[in-house]
Amino acid sequence: RSSDLSIPSWPTYRVKNALYRLLSSWIVKLQPVTHVLDVSSAFWRSQCIYVAAKLKIADLLGDSEMVVSTLAASAQVDEENLYRVLRLLASFHIFTEVSPRIFKNNAQSALLRSNRPDCLTPLLLSRTELMYQPWGHVIGTVRHGGSAFTKHHDGTNVWQYLQGNEEQNLLFSQAMISRDSLGKEASLVDYPWHTYRRVLDIGGGFGSFLSSVLERNAHLTGVLFDLPHVVQNAELFWADKRPRLLDRTTFSAGSFFELLPAALDGDVYVLRAVLHDWNDENCISLLKSIRAAIADKKARLAILDMVLEETDNEAAKLMLDVHMMAMFDDGKERTRVQLSRLLHAAGFSITRCVPTRGLYSIVEAEPIQG
């Protein structure tokens, strides 16, 4: 398929990752002091890209070059300060300063354009507006446990906060769609979804992944399951953006710790970036709900997560692991061994672990019989 062209071949993918890690290691050893200072000041950069995303600078530029005075007037901000922010971002290859005070989009800044399906703006906005301030409490999480987010919000956890904040809940759901650029295409190509009859996306948000599976496999039907307020918004989103898939999709609302849609033969239940939000006890409870829904049917479970190795992990996976620690009470990325223990406790056994040409792996499991 033409959409697969953005995914490198396996040899290219492995060489690219090896070269990136080698060069990164070499640069660190060459300039250790600079590296430590860069890491410690990373939030300066994140706040500058937030400014660009919030002000929709990439949209204002479009396909044109623009002098900063025009950009500032359109965004209704201070010209000199906007220039200084864009100049810094351009030094990190986000936007290009083609001549003094004149900017244009490049491949990186174009990812902030709202007309692109892989637009990252909602994810960048959510990371700052929802997550930036809680990260200031990570020292408390390391010292005493618990999540930094809950500490920052005086005992209110992420899910409680989102349920009571409609604007941030909508932004978070849109951010989860933005997250798809982290490996959705590879997850679609590198696993045989076509072998199933129905896909049940549990905790699937707005259903971006489910819709992609259905689009690529015309014989499949789907079930999108999430909390009531999420499903309500998802149905509206599908009616507007994905009306052609509505006759093959069922929307179901509830708590995945309780009753889930019952399985049919040939089903696959999908947990995509869900288990890492929860502690072991809650993960087992969720997995038991799926096991009860499968009952005696011939159905499987596919877990899409950043499965950790025992050693030598990619930095991106480890960053997300610490982020889970900060945002959720005992949230974490897990190794295959850790996932196997959770699954076994809920009545499943791993049939295989499928790597993809992205950050996610797909852990496939089936019910233990008897």
Side-chain angles (χ1 to χ4, degrees), residues 207-227:
S208 176
F209 183 74
L210 176 62
S211 67
S212 296
V213 174
L214 296 181
E215 285 173 344
R216 296 177 66 96
N217 300 275
H219 69 286
L220 288 177
T221 59
V223 176
L224 181 62
F225 183 93
D226 213 308
L227 293 169

Side-chain angles (χ1 to χ4, degrees), residues 14-26 314-315:
R14 293 187 179 104
V15 169
K16 182 186 71 172
N17 282 359
L19 284 175
Y20 179 81
R21 297 178 75 172
L22 179 64
L23 288 172
S24 298
S25 175
W26 180 74
E314 296 174 62

Side-chain angles (χ1 to χ4, degrees), residues 99-114:
S99 58
R101 305 180 77 84
I102 297 177
F103 293 87
K104 70 174 184 178
N105 279 316
N106 57 22
Q108 289 70 241
S109 64
L111 292 169
L112 306 184
R113 295 183 66 173
S114 60

Side-chain angles (χ1 to χ4, degrees), residues 186-199:
S187 298
L188 292 169
V189 172
D190 292 334
Y191 185 76
W193 300 103
H194 66 276
T195 60
Y196 298 103
R197 295 180 180 176
R198 187 174 67 156
V199 177

Side-chain angles (χ1 to χ4, degrees), residues 198-355:
R198 187 174 67 156
V199 177
L200 296 92
D201 194 356
I202 307 302
F206 273 28
S208 176
F209 183 74
L210 176 62
S211 67
S212 296
V213 174
L214 296 181
E215 285 173 344
R216 296 177 66 96
N217 300 275
H219 69 286
L220 288 177
T221 59
V223 176
L224 181 62
F225 183 93
D226 213 308
L227 293 169
H229 66 281
V230 177
V231 171
Q232 182 180 12
N233 288 327
E235 286 193 80
L236 295 174
F237 182 79
W238 280 55
D240 180 39
K241 302 293 186 182
R242 301 162 183 157
R244 64 194 178 280
L245 298 176
L246 288 174
D247 63 342
R248 295 164 54 202
T249 308
T250 301
F251 296 88
S252 182
S255 168
F256 52 42
F257 294 115
E258 298 170 4
L259 187 65
L260 289 172
L264 303 172
D265 288 337
D267 279 355
V268 59
Y269 287 76
V270 175
L271 293 174
R272 183 172 186 262
V274 171
L275 292 182
H276 69 176
D277 294 343
W278 303 95
N279 62 28
D280 288 355
E281 181 180 357
N282 282 323
C283 285
I284 292 171
S285 177
L286 165 54
L287 293 170
K288 284 183 176 179
S289 293
I290 296 175
R291 180 65 187 90
I294 291 177
D296 60 352
K297 299 298 182 181
K298 295 179 180 178
R300 290 190 172 182
L301 167 64
I303 298 170
L304 284 70
D305 258 323
M306 294 188 186
V307 179
L308 298 180
E309 305 296 333
E310 296 298 336
T311 59
D312 197 31
N313 283 283
E314 296 174 62
K317 293 183 178 182
L318 300 179
M319 284 192 290
L320 191 61
D321 174 58
V322 176
H323 182 60
M324 293 300 105
M325 176 190 79
M327 295 299 293
F328 303 98
D329 292 308
D330 295 324
K332 66 184 74 173
E333 304 299 332
R334 293 175 171 88
T335 65
R336 176 172 174 165
V337 171
Q338 290 172 320
L339 287 171
S340 180
R341 290 172 183 158
L342 297 180
L343 286 162
H344 192 269
F348 287 96
S349 63
I350 292 179
T351 53
R352 56 177 170 164
C353 185
V354 180

Side-chain angles (χ1 to χ4, degrees), residues 13-253:
Y13 175 75
R14 293 187 179 104
V15 169
K16 182 186 71 172
N17 282 359
L19 284 175
Y20 179 81
R21 297 178 75 172
L22 179 64
L23 288 172
S24 298
S25 175
W26 180 74
I27 292 171
V28 168
K29 291 176 181 177
L30 191 65
Q31 297 181 308
V33 174
T34 300
H35 174 68
V36 171
L37 293 176
D38 280 349
V39 171
S40 70
S41 60
F43 70 96
W44 300 353
R45 280 177 273 178
S46 70
Q47 288 302 290
C48 285
I49 197 170
Y50 169 74
V51 168
K54 189 71 173 179
L55 297 179
K56 302 181 179 179
I57 299 300
D59 282 346
L60 292 174
L61 285 171
D63 296 319
S64 305
E65 298 177 2
M66 196 172 294
V67 65
V68 73
S69 59
T70 303
L71 279 171
S74 298
Q76 298 182 320
V77 296
D78 183 86
E79 176 185 341
E80 189 61 25
N81 289 341
L82 176 62
Y83 170 63
R84 293 164 71 180
V85 167
L86 293 180
R87 180 176 60 182
L88 174 62
L89 289 173
S91 75
F92 293 112
H93 310 291
I94 300 172
F95 301 103
T96 296
E97 187 173 11
V98 294
S99 58
R101 305 180 77 84
I102 297 177
F103 293 87
K104 70 174 184 178
N105 279 316
N106 57 22
Q108 289 70 241
S109 64
L111 292 169
L112 306 184
R113 295 183 66 173
S114 60
N115 63 349
R116 288 180 57 140
D118 57 351
C119 175
L120 292 176
T121 293
L123 183 59
L124 300 181
L125 296 181
S126 184
R127 282 184 170 181
T128 295
E129 295 177 7
L130 181 67
M131 306 170 186
Y132 176 69
Q133 290 185 339
W135 260 87
H137 297 267
V138 166
I139 185 65
T141 294
V142 172
R143 282 177 170 159
H144 308 296
S147 82
F149 186 95
T150 303
K151 294 178 191 298
H152 177 71
H153 288 283
D154 299 321
T156 299
N157 67 32
V158 172
W159 309 118
Q160 293 167 337
Y161 177 83
L162 290 174
Q163 198 157 6
N165 189 316
E166 184 176 351
E167 180 181 356
Q168 285 299 317
N169 180 62
L170 180 60
L171 180 59
F172 181 78
S173 295
Q174 293 170 337
M176 295 304 97
I177 297 174
S178 292
R179 181 193 60 189
D180 284 342
S181 62
L182 297 176
K184 181 181 74 172
E185 285 297 316
S187 298
L188 292 169
V189 172
D190 292 334
Y191 185 76
W193 300 103
H194 66 276
T195 60
Y196 298 103
R197 295 180 180 176
R198 187 174 67 156
V199 177
L200 296 92
D201 194 356
I202 307 302
F206 273 28
S208 176
F209 183 74
L210 176 62
S211 67
S212 296
V213 174
L214 296 181
E215 285 173 344
R216 296 177 66 96
N217 300 275
H219 69 286
L220 288 177
T221 59
V223 176
L224 181 62
F225 183 93
D226 213 308
L227 293 169
H229 66 281
V230 177
V231 171
Q232 182 180 12
N233 288 327
E235 286 193 80
L236 295 174
F237 182 79
W238 280 55
D240 180 39
K241 302 293 186 182
R242 301 162 183 157
R244 64 194 178 280
L245 298 176
L246 288 174
D247 63 342
R248 295 164 54 202
T249 308
T250 301
F251 296 88
S252 182

